[in-house]
Amino acid sequence: MINLFENLDVESTDFLRSQLFANLKIPSVVINDDGFLPIEVDSPFKFYCGFGDENTPLYFNRLKVPEFHRIVATASKGEVYDLYEKRADIFFLATDNTRLIKEVHWLDKNGNLSWIDHYNRQGKLFAKTYVNNGQQVLKRYFNKDGKEVITQYLVSGDIFLHEENNERYFANLAQFVTYYLRKKKYQLDHIFYNTLNQSMMVSLGLQNDGSDTLFWHEKITNDLPGNMKYLMDNSTRTKHIVFQNYVDWQTWKNKLPNDKNVDFRFLGMIYPHPRGNKMRPEAVILTNSDQIEHLDEVVQAMPNIHFNIAAITEMSSKLLAFKKYNNVRLYPNATTKQIQELYQTSDIYLDINHGNEILDAVRGAFEQNMLILGFENTLHNSQFISSENVFKPNEVDKMADKISDALSDTNNMRELIDEQRLLAGDVSVEQYKEVIGDLRNE
């Protein structure tokens, strides 16, 4: 049995972490390696590139650039200039002001993307993607000695593996992954996968007996995905489809057929909750801009709430002006430690800032069992916010009433937090073990 993820995105990470919380030890393979996979997660590209386990990412000012070029950087992004002409954009691993390099996008004289340098957790150049007229056409992977080990033609899908002085050809990525899985002698009797793209293709390509499970986390709009219908209508290795989105499961569970080639069930994620909500009148807003929806009205409508507004950058004079309110405390250039302390001492999170979300703010508030509220036009991660806690921009008074009611009644707050967790698909360790155990035994 293995987990086969196409990418180690947030959902795949949650899936893997849920298994760890439940003490389920299942080998995990990620098809597309971005260079920063955890040590315990395997990948065909990671295997053939052969880098070690050390964790020494490249800091932005250590990037080698041509003579007379200069690097400028903010907390979230860097740039390379030749005098006043921009030659590259630098993308960091995270937006937490650590400024560790993940990719460098080099530009031609006209400012168009020419190629991408990919760096890994060892701070080494492990891949290079070439771009033609805006389209990524070729990707080369290198080992620790700088020797090319994999050539991937991104348009046709062809892959060449340069292995032990031999060159092996694969018509597509799924064939390459299957070759790797068999070479590493993984047990392929049951595959857990969570996309209907490459990982599904690997499952379909395995001819030996097996019983696979699709874990489906993506939002379903009006109809089931075409490839999911294919699994329903045809006899394949995939015998089970597990919905991970609770709201979608409630919508679809009575519409799904019982006489198809797969069965359906629900299983959410295990989220850590190190503490309960203590009903303190302390609210947090994380932002990297001064564009906070109706902040004046929010602060004035709730004089009994203490608002902690933090940013990992400098604050504008517009935002600094809120120091005039007795119930507002500002944290410009906040450190990770300061923000962690705010999350420990606060019980309300307001997702009301425009612009990008920083430090997975909503997710962090959810795991701390903070009551999360927001406006329709400012939501960053609606999965963790109950729809009844989302307001129109002109409904500041309704938001204030909801917070007041929650803080004045223990039972009310408990119900709101329980609903918040239920809608996010939060399940217990016992529930998780039971469903996974059933799948493994079927």
Side-chain angles (χ1 to χ4, degrees):
M1 169 175 281
I2 64 168
N3 299 311
L4 183 63
F5 305 127
E6 193 154 336
N7 301 288
L8 195 62
D9 51 18
V10 173
E11 291 78 15
S12 298
T13 301
D14 285 342
F15 186 39
L16 176 58
R17 189 170 66 166
S18 294
Q19 293 179 6
L20 295 176
F21 284 140
N23 198 28
L24 300 172
K25 298 179 180 179
I26 303 173
S28 297
V29 174
V30 172
I31 294 176
N32 298 313
D33 183 0
D34 67 351
F36 287 88
L37 295 179
I39 294 172
E40 66 274 10
V41 175
D42 296 328
S43 161
F45 296 100
K46 181 179 180 180
F47 175 72
Y48 287 111
C49 289
F51 289 93
D53 294 333
E54 63 271 17
N55 188 24
T56 54
L58 185 67
Y59 192 58
F60 83 99
N61 66 358
R62 296 180 58 197
L63 176 68
K64 293 182 179 180
V65 298
E67 191 175 10
F68 303 121
H69 284 47
R70 59 190 175 91
I71 301 173
V72 296
T74 64
S76 59
K77 186 181 176 181
E79 296 173 327
V80 179
Y81 282 89
D82 178 9
L83 295 178
Y84 298 102
E85 181 180 5
K86 186 166 76 168
R87 297 307 312 276
D89 289 306
I90 303 173
F91 293 90
F92 299 143
L93 177 62
T95 58
D96 57 1
N97 208 22
T98 53
R99 293 189 282 188
L100 302 174
I101 294 178
K102 183 175 184 180
E103 294 180 356
V104 180
H105 292 209
W106 291 94
L107 311 176
D108 61 20
K109 292 291 186 180
N110 296 318
N112 299 316
L113 180 61
S114 184
W115 78 89
I116 302 171
D117 287 340
H118 305 266
Y119 290 84
N120 60 19
R121 60 185 298 155
Q122 290 80 30
K124 304 295 184 182
L125 177 68
F126 83 104
K128 188 183 289 280
T129 299
Y130 298 87
V131 181
N132 183 30
N133 292 325
Q135 183 179 19
Q136 297 184 14
V137 296
L138 177 67
K139 192 169 185 178
R140 302 181 188 275
Y141 292 85
F142 312 100
N143 62 17
K144 59 184 178 181
D145 299 319
K147 180 181 177 182
E148 185 175 344
V149 290
I150 300 170
T151 307
Q152 183 178 16
Y153 291 87
L154 302 175
V155 178
S156 65
D158 298 345
I159 293 179
F160 291 89
L161 171 64
H162 314 289
E163 181 185 31
E164 300 171 355
N165 298 321
N166 294 316
E167 186 172 86
R168 296 185 181 273
Y169 167 76
F170 305 94
N172 51 58
L173 183 56
Q175 286 186 7
F176 171 60
V177 173
T178 301
Y179 172 80
Y180 157 78
L181 294 175
R182 287 176 170 153
K183 182 180 180 66
K184 290 290 298 290
K185 295 181 170 55
Y186 283 105
Q187 295 294 322
L188 302 178
D189 57 317
H190 197 148
I191 296 176
F192 287 170
Y193 66 98
N194 64 351
T195 65
L196 288 168
N197 191 13
Q198 294 298 336
S199 52
M200 173 184 162
M201 293 300 107
V202 172
S203 173
L204 292 175
L206 292 171
Q207 300 302 316
N208 56 310
D209 293 337
S211 176
D212 297 343
T213 301
L214 167 66
F215 288 82
W216 188 248
H217 60 266
E218 294 184 33
K219 182 72 176 173
I220 297 176
T221 52
N222 299 322
D223 199 5
L224 298 175
N227 280 355
M228 185 181 292
K229 292 181 179 179
Y230 176 87
L231 296 175
M232 296 163 59
D233 295 335
N234 295 274
S235 179
T236 70
R237 283 175 50 108
T238 300
K239 307 301 183 186
H240 320 284
I241 296 178
V242 179
F243 277 60
Q244 296 182 287
N245 184 301
Y246 179 82
V247 176
D248 276 355
W249 175 245
Q250 295 304 309
T251 301
W252 283 93
K253 64 180 181 180
N254 294 323
K255 303 177 183 179
L256 299 168
N258 296 317
D259 58 347
K260 290 293 185 177
N261 295 286
V262 295
D263 63 59
F264 295 89
R265 61 193 78 185
F266 168 78
L267 180 63
M269 304 285 192
I270 302 174
Y271 295 101
H273 296 285
R275 69 173 181 87
N277 191 294
K278 300 180 181 179
M279 301 180 63
R280 293 163 294 191
E282 297 280 338
V284 175
I285 301 170
L286 294 191
T287 182
N288 261 356
S289 77
D290 57 15
Q291 302 302 306
I292 303 177
E293 186 72 31
H294 286 301
L295 183 57
D296 268 306
E297 293 89 337
V298 167
V299 169
Q300 294 181 52
M302 294 176 267
N304 59 319
I305 303 296
H306 186 236
F307 294 90
N308 301 283
I309 305 173
I312 60 174
T313 60
E314 296 283 352
M315 288 183 172
S316 70
S317 57
K318 175 182 176 181
L319 196 52
L320 290 173
F322 278 84
K323 289 190 293 187
K324 67 183 180 182
Y325 292 106
N326 294 328
N327 61 331
V328 174
R329 180 175 296 174
L330 302 175
Y331 296 84
N333 295 312
T335 64
T336 301
K337 182 179 179 181
Q338 284 179 309
I339 292 173
Q340 289 174 345
E341 290 174 350
L342 288 177
Y343 271 59
Q344 290 295 325
T345 57
S346 303
D347 286 304
I348 300 164
Y349 185 83
L350 298 184
D351 187 22
I352 62 174
N353 62 294
H354 291 276
N356 295 331
E357 181 184 28
I358 60 172
L359 301 178
D360 291 324
V362 176
R363 169 67 173 267
F366 172 80
E367 293 187 354
Q368 293 292 331
N369 279 323
M370 299 165 70
L371 178 62
I372 308 171
L373 308 98
F375 293 117
E376 291 177 342
N377 59 333
T378 61
L379 299 185
H380 292 92
N381 203 336
S382 59
Q383 174 188 351
F384 299 110
I385 307 177
S386 174
S387 59
E388 64 179 84
N389 295 332
V390 179
F391 303 89
K392 299 182 184 302
N394 62 352
E395 295 180 334
V396 173
D397 288 341
K398 288 186 178 180
M399 177 184 284
D401 290 341
K402 174 62 70 84
I403 293 174
S404 178
D405 291 344
L407 292 177
S408 62
D409 188 322
T410 302
N411 291 329
N412 191 9
M413 178 66 84
R414 183 183 298 112
E415 290 175 1
L416 290 172
I417 297 300
D418 287 346
E419 181 75 3
Q420 188 171 274
R421 291 173 60 169
L422 175 67
L423 294 177
D426 196 347
V427 299
S428 68
V429 170
E430 291 73 21
Q431 290 172 305
Y432 200 89
K433 282 185 173 181
E434 180 181 356
V435 175
I436 295 294
D438 289 345
L439 292 169
R440 297 176 78 169
N441 295 326
E442 293 178 4

